[in-house]
Amino acid sequence: MSTLLVAGGHVIDPKNGIDGVADVFVRDGKIAAVGKNLKEKADKKIDAKGLTVTPGLIDLHVHFREPGREDKETFETGSRSALAGGITAAVAMPNTSPIADNQTVVEFILKRSRDLGLINIYPTGAITKGQEGAMLSEINELKNSGAVAVTDDGHDVQKEGVLKRAMEYAKTCGILLMSHCETKDLTEDGVMHEGWISTQLGLPGSPALSEDMAVYKNILLAEKTGARLHLMHNSTAGAIRAIREAKKRGAKNVTAEVSVQHFALTDKECMGYNTNAKMYPPLRSQEHIDAIIAGIKDGTVDAFTTDHAPHIEPEKLKAFQDAAFGTVGLETSFAVMYTYLVKPKHISLKQGIEKMTSAPARIIGINKGHLSKGADADIAIFDTAKDWVVDEKKFFSKGKNSAFIGKKLRGKAVYTIVGGEVKYDRGTIIA
Ligand SMILES: [Zn+2]
Ligand SMILES: [Zn+2]
């Protein structure tokens, strides 16, 4: 029997309405008690005075690149990176090589994650075979082998008929469908947000309308089929409006995430042809950020994610048009949320934590993201007074392609605990 006491921290557990100084007592990997001045004797004690104690963060959108592109990231390096960011559970995207469109790849991911024993990794399966947008995968088989959702992320299922059948199939299996929303015919060869800056830079733009239309299409099909739909990385005012309207109509089967970079940074980051600011969806203009923040405040946005997308250096050292899309994010997501939403008082820290813990857990249907008695003791401990400058050389991730390099952020993970075991301790991974 092993025990751990996290003493005197400011505990924020949104699901249980806890927001105040308390101790957290852990026994055999489970939460045994949360309360003031607990008298239990523990094998190990963490003094959390002045720190913020939360359920471990859950990230619904991570590209681990394994299998196939272990030069970019592996489950091991990605998990270490997650731990350094206070993330204890992550949903793995299926656009790997081979693509996770069958039972074997899903089972491989689950086994790798179990063998590593670092964080909890939840696989997804592809909606269509080879993510080609044509033939549906065996969604039932994917669900039975342990996928928590199906998604063609990296691509949008363009054909309405295919998407409708996918939703019907997913509904029958009781599995979540996650959509990357992009109307390819409108995006064409766009490499950044279409607007004033893309014109100045002379780069082909990707219009907000491309995302707006795909979001509307997905919502209408979800309302028609009754499938559970999760809209990924929403970045436009139009997407937010569509989701808000759907929720108002009573579409309880629709949820939405925003990747933290999309409420923090504008397309101005692309100036100077900065390829680390190249991603899909693209960083957009301030009016879109304002709309996203309004959507966060009124509950239109359910969850925050990273869309962690590591690349090797040569893929970002190219000309802007040819460089790879994506930014890493596991080690900065909490700080970005704190710096751009909590510090300017758009939302409370409790609201921010809810969108990174209990809300994502609810979306994929796992019993995590809270500190209830008997729950898995996945805990993050943050210093919310810590200012730091993002230095990619210090990342645990293999990917150094962060859109936040050189930015001053506030808030940093100090300890990360998974299943009652301290896996990250003040800058060091304990494997
Ligand atoms: Zn995507
Ligand atoms: Zn993605």
Side-chain angles (χ1 to χ4, degrees):
M1 195 169 80
S2 77
T3 51
L4 167 71
L5 184 68
V6 179
H10 183 119
V11 178
I12 299 182
D13 176 8
K15 192 175 181 187
N16 289 307
I18 298 169
D19 187 358
V21 173
D23 301 334
V24 179
F25 184 63
V26 173
R27 186 188 292 119
D28 290 336
K30 306 280 182 193
I31 304 289
V34 178
K36 280 198 178 5
N37 305 312
L38 297 179
K39 295 281 178 272
E40 274 87 349
K41 270 200 74 68
D43 308 328
K44 186 177 165 65
K45 187 178 162 185
I46 291 175
D47 179 8
K49 209 163 159 249
L51 302 175
T52 302
V53 180
T54 75
L57 305 186
I58 300 172
D59 189 341
L60 293 177
H61 193 155
V62 178
H63 297 272
F64 282 99
R65 306 300 189 202
E66 190 180 346
R69 289 305 303 264
E70 290 81 356
D71 54 333
K72 293 189 182 193
E73 193 82 289
T74 63
F75 285 116
E76 182 169 7
T77 57
S79 297
R80 286 169 172 260
S81 179
L83 287 169
I87 294 164
T88 56
V91 175
M93 290 297 114
N95 59 337
T96 47
S97 179
I99 287 167
D101 61 4
N102 61 78
Q103 187 174 347
T104 315
V105 182
V106 171
E107 283 170 354
F108 164 81
I109 295 166
L110 283 169
K111 184 174 185 318
R112 283 286 287 137
S113 145
R114 264 196 314 270
D115 292 351
L116 279 168
L118 290 170
I119 65 165
N120 302 283
I121 295 171
Y122 296 93
T124 55
I127 297 172
T128 61
K129 283 275 171 204
Q131 293 194 310
E132 285 171 356
M135 262 178 45
L136 296 186
S137 307
E138 290 297 342
I139 295 177
N140 198 40
E141 179 188 298
L142 292 169
K143 154 102 183 173
N144 290 339
S145 53
V148 294
V150 285
T151 176
D152 267 4
D153 186 49
H155 307 277
D156 178 297
V157 179
Q158 294 294 293
K159 288 192 172 149
E160 292 82 1
V162 176
L163 185 56
K164 179 166 176 276
R165 282 198 300 282
M167 286 194 189
E168 285 162 350
Y169 193 179
K171 182 174 193 281
T172 313
C173 303
I175 192 169
L176 176 73
L177 186 141
M178 300 168 90
S179 276
H180 160 123
C181 293
E182 175 180 7
T183 309
K184 268 281 175 208
D185 208 26
L186 291 172
T187 317
E188 289 184 358
D189 54 353
V191 293
M192 65 172 291
H193 175 61
E194 183 180 274
W196 177 243
I197 309 278
S198 69
T199 308
Q200 253 187 317
L201 293 175
L203 290 170
S206 172
L209 186 65
S210 161
E211 183 175 328
D212 301 350
M213 285 184 64
V215 168
Y216 270 103
K217 177 177 91 178
N218 270 272
I219 289 172
L220 292 174
L221 289 172
E223 286 184 300
K224 182 74 187 166
T225 59
R228 276 204 300 127
L229 169 69
H230 178 69
L231 297 155
M232 308 171 91
H233 50 43
N234 296 281
S235 72
T236 66
I240 298 295
R241 188 179 64 212
I243 299 157
R244 180 182 292 122
E245 286 170 0
K247 288 188 170 183
K248 231 174 225 165
R249 284 197 297 275
K252 290 199 168 57
N253 53 332
V254 176
T255 54
E257 74 182 40
V258 165
S259 302
V260 296
Q261 52 271 21
H262 286 116
F263 58 66
L265 305 177
T266 67
D267 55 350
K268 285 195 180 131
E269 300 295 325
C270 300
M271 307 264 272
Y273 302 94
N274 170 20
T275 57
N276 283 330
K278 181 180 177 183
M279 61 191 77
Y280 188 86
L283 295 172
R284 303 216 184 254
S285 52
Q286 189 61 44
E287 60 186 293
H288 294 288
I289 293 193
D290 295 343
I292 291 171
I293 291 174
I296 291 167
K297 283 181 171 179
D298 73 7
T300 301
V301 174
D302 295 276
F304 300 147
T305 60
T306 61
D307 196 1
H308 178 80
H311 291 292
I312 50 170
E313 211 184 357
E315 288 181 322
K316 282 288 192 183
L317 278 177
K318 295 179 176 172
F320 198 94
Q321 284 99 314
D322 304 323
F325 288 91
T327 175
V328 293
L330 294 169
E331 287 163 71
T332 46
S333 60
F334 174 82
V336 170
M337 185 278 291
Y338 193 89
T339 306
Y340 292 90
L341 293 180
V342 179
K343 208 173 138 199
K345 297 193 163 38
H346 291 307
I347 58 171
S348 68
L349 181 54
K350 188 177 158 197
Q351 286 170 312
I353 294 297
E354 193 260 338
K355 294 191 192 304
M356 299 175 97
T357 58
S358 51
R362 169 173 51 81
I363 290 166
I364 53 166
I366 57 170
N367 182 23
K368 282 188 179 286
H370 56 84
L371 302 175
S372 311
K373 193 175 174 194
D376 295 336
D378 296 349
I379 303 166
I381 305 177
F382 296 100
D383 181 352
T384 58
K386 171 90 176 166
D387 287 317
W388 57 293
V389 175
V390 178
D391 177 358
E392 76 283 11
K393 290 185 281 302
K394 292 187 179 153
F395 283 160
F396 288 87
S397 170
K398 282 193 185 183
K400 310 300 175 193
N401 54 302
S402 167
F404 291 93
I405 291 171
K407 301 252 184 261
K408 190 173 160 192
L409 301 178
R410 178 170 294 178
K412 211 170 197 316
V414 186
Y415 299 93
T416 308
I417 298 159
V418 184
E421 285 179 39
V422 180
K423 297 281 185 189
Y424 177 77
D425 183 342
R426 291 162 290 182
T428 308
I429 305 286
I430 301 162

